[in-house]
Amino acid sequence: MKKVAVILSGCGVFDGAEIYESVLTLLALAEAGAQVQCFAPNMAQHHVINHITGEEMPEQRNVLVEAARICRGNIQDLAALKAADFDAIILPGGFGAAKNLSDFAFEGDDCQVQSDVLAACQDFAKAGKAAGYICIAPAMLPKVYGPGVKGTLGNDASTADAFNAMGGEHQVRAVNEICVDEANKVVSTPAYMLAGSILEAKSGIDKLVHKVLALA
């Protein structure tokens, strides 16, 4: 049984983890018989968005507390994650990956990855363990793996340019496709960078999960 760590970035597409992507990832892992543990950084999220109006709300929420909603409370502080305890790691998308796990949404190719996130992801990278990055999360790949890492953010020119400016090698992929960097054992898929429905998002996420488990 493969053991997989899943890093969440809150709860809700506009300010946290994309819920459909997160649940589809957890479902695919369960169907494949993997053992899963969710993690999230114990930190204030960048801001809170009203998901009906799209407007910022005058309150503050914690990324770990919000992410716990997705996995029914079965979640741990990301600071406790060690690659030695797992076979692979997967990061679903949502703006939380670009606002909480990193500041890519605001800084583009000048972005930084949150310290606990960077430490955990680089721990898996240095150990040569398999990883999956979904939707906007692959924007962090050049910061984690360094120059030459291959990944996909779909087909958006501006995000691809930012990925390449950070030293990555962006690959255009359709919503039902994955990008595999065999050298780094990293798999990525566009999901809701392109998906028009939950079924379209599922098509690529299922392939990503299966490939990550195969690499593990």
Side-chain angles (χ1 to χ4, degrees):
M1 180 182 292
K2 301 289 175 64
K3 296 179 66 177
V4 182
V6 175
I7 298 182
L8 301 175
S9 58
C11 181
V13 58
F14 299 127
D15 57 15
E18 213 295 325
I19 296 173
Y20 285 175
E21 290 177 358
S22 301
V23 173
L24 288 169
T25 297
L26 296 174
L27 177 60
L29 287 167
E31 289 176 335
Q35 182 179 339
V36 178
Q37 178 61 58
C38 291
F39 293 86
N42 186 6
M43 59 179 284
Q45 64 185 54
H46 176 77
H47 58 194
V48 179
I49 298 295
N50 182 319
H51 278 57
I52 297 174
T53 66
E55 297 177 352
E56 187 170 346
M57 300 172 66
E59 60 181 88
Q60 190 174 80
R61 298 186 186 182
N62 179 280
V63 174
L64 177 60
V65 172
E66 291 301 296
R69 296 174 179 272
I70 294 176
C71 48
R72 301 172 64 86
N74 183 17
I75 196 164
Q76 296 180 16
D77 188 330
L78 182 58
L81 175 57
K82 299 185 185 307
D85 298 331
F86 293 88
D87 300 298
I89 189 172
I90 297 179
L91 287 78
F95 273 103
K99 292 179 177 179
N100 302 327
L101 304 189
S102 74
D103 58 5
F104 180 78
F106 313 108
E107 302 297 335
D109 58 89
D110 287 328
C111 72
Q112 299 295 319
V113 179
Q114 194 268 351
S115 58
D116 288 339
V117 178
L118 185 62
C121 292
Q122 287 186 334
D123 192 20
F124 278 81
K126 291 172 183 176
K129 295 193 172 183
Y133 288 69
I134 298 168
C135 189
I136 195 63
M140 294 183 279
L141 288 176
K143 299 293 184 178
V144 174
Y145 290 87
V149 65
K150 296 179 175 64
T152 187
L153 292 156
N155 58 17
D156 180 73
S158 62
T159 50
D161 288 346
F163 188 94
N164 292 333
M166 289 186 283
E169 297 180 11
H170 186 266
Q171 314 289 305
V172 174
R173 292 290 187 274
V175 67
N176 63 340
E177 295 178 322
I178 58 175
C179 171
V180 182
D181 183 329
E182 296 281 358
N184 289 302
K185 298 175 73 172
V186 178
V187 188
S188 49
T189 192
Y192 272 102
M193 291 294 288
L194 295 177
S197 70
I198 191 171
L199 287 176
E200 287 187 356
K202 183 179 187 297
S203 63
I205 290 172
D206 282 350
K207 291 176 183 177
L208 177 140
V209 167
H210 293 156
K211 184 62 177 179
V212 167
L213 292 175
L215 290 172

